[in-house]
Amino acid sequence: MNKPLILVVEDDGTVRNLITTTLKSNEYRYLTAPDGESAIAAASNQQPDIVLLDLGLPDIDGVEVIRRIRCWSQMPIIVISARSEDTDKIAALDAGADDYLTKPFSVAELLARLRVTQRRLTALESKTGESVFHNGSLTIDYGAGCAYMDGAALKLTPTEYKLLCLLAKDVGKVLTHTYLTDKIWGSCWESDMASLRVHMATLRKKLERNPDTQYIQTHIGIGYRMLKL
Ligand code: CA
């Protein structure tokens, strides 16, 4: 099997070296781009498996890079940004980024994010066209409109079921509050955000009766992700 090819887009040489050294010692292949335009060109010419994208680039904004790549490709994009750039992170996720890393990050975090993204890719490839979703003890039968935990039907409200399906459809990906409220209520008012928190809390209570198994991860101020078990 080919080693995954990672496109590293980062203008800061120190961070770039940290990333490429990590990739090299962990059996990844990589190529680098120091700015947005060359990143878009490399993404198109080299077809990397995953893009690691710094948001603050010298020429065009990282979010713009995502938008332009998303016009023609669904290749996974992991955004790298400073903690102060939370709103940029949300914009990046809404533009189609798959995940994010906050600077400063550790080598272990970087590798964990890459593994999550690879698992998500595998899950996407295997589930294409399937009408039943499996993740750990959770099963969703889309045809029947029912969800099961360890074979027992979960009593979900229509909103909880919709939320569960949205999270499952993009298992492994962080979905922003805006994305979720827009999909469920067609809007994203403050009151929708509050409702989302309530529905998510009741959904999690039903899903995570066994406290050792976590299905949904909360990203404070950003959104939620279903973990691939
Ligand atoms: Ca930068």
Side-chain angles (χ1 to χ4, degrees):
M1 211 172 97
N2 261 345
K3 295 174 185 176
L5 176 64
I6 317 290
L7 170 59
V8 181
V9 188
E10 172 64 76
D11 58 317
D12 182 329
T14 313
V15 181
R16 199 167 59 223
N17 282 340
L18 167 75
I19 296 175
T20 54
T21 307
T22 307
L23 293 176
K24 207 191 292 181
S25 55
N26 284 276
E27 307 264 290
Y28 288 99
R29 294 177 299 143
Y30 66 85
L31 47 127
T32 61
D35 55 53
E37 291 293 354
S38 58
I40 293 167
S44 143
N45 299 334
Q46 312 285 329
Q47 298 284 325
D49 296 297
I50 299 174
V51 181
L52 282 173
L53 174 70
D54 177 32
L55 281 186
L57 293 170
D59 55 349
I60 49 173
D61 190 64
V63 176
E64 180 60 23
V65 174
I66 299 169
R67 281 200 197 103
R68 283 172 53 187
I69 291 178
R70 280 291 171 266
C71 291
W72 52 270
S73 170
Q74 286 304 312
M75 64 177 67
I77 301 174
I78 302 174
V79 156
I80 302 172
S81 71
R83 191 166 297 280
S84 57
E85 299 164 335
D86 254 7
T87 47
D88 299 344
K89 225 176 273 172
I90 292 169
L93 290 165
D94 281 334
D98 294 79
D99 205 346
Y100 62 86
L101 263 171
T102 303
K103 282 182 192 175
F105 55 85
S106 67
V107 162
E109 262 184 289
L110 169 63
L111 293 171
R113 286 293 178 269
L114 287 171
R115 281 194 300 271
V116 165
T117 305
Q118 284 174 285
R119 272 207 299 272
R120 172 173 147 68
L121 270 183
T122 318
L124 275 180
E125 280 160 10
S126 64
K127 86 175 184 194
T128 314
E130 274 181 22
S131 61
V132 178
F133 169 85
H134 296 283
N135 187 19
S137 305
L138 171 70
T139 302
I140 306 174
D141 183 338
Y142 294 117
C146 290
Y148 305 87
M149 187 59 77
D150 289 315
L154 288 168
K155 291 192 179 71
L156 302 179
T157 65
T159 304
E160 288 164 359
Y161 179 72
K162 218 166 162 182
L163 263 178
L164 182 66
C165 291
L166 285 169
L167 291 162
K169 186 175 151 274
D170 276 318
V171 63
K173 184 177 189 307
V174 179
L175 302 179
T176 63
H177 296 136
T178 325
Y179 174 85
L180 290 169
T181 55
D182 185 55
K183 285 281 176 195
I184 291 175
W185 297 291
S187 53
C188 43
W189 302 103
E190 263 311 301
S191 58
D192 295 327
M193 300 287 181
S195 304
L196 177 65
R197 270 196 294 277
V198 172
H199 289 289
M200 195 60 86
T202 55
L203 172 63
R204 293 187 69 159
K205 219 179 248 172
K206 293 175 186 178
L207 285 183
E208 297 170 351
R209 269 176 300 189
N210 174 356
D212 297 334
T213 317
Q214 193 193 3
Y215 282 92
I216 297 171
Q217 198 177 51
T218 302
H219 292 248
I220 294 165
I222 293 177
Y224 302 91
R225 168 191 358 239
M226 181 181 282
L227 299 170
K228 179 85 188 90
L229 302 186

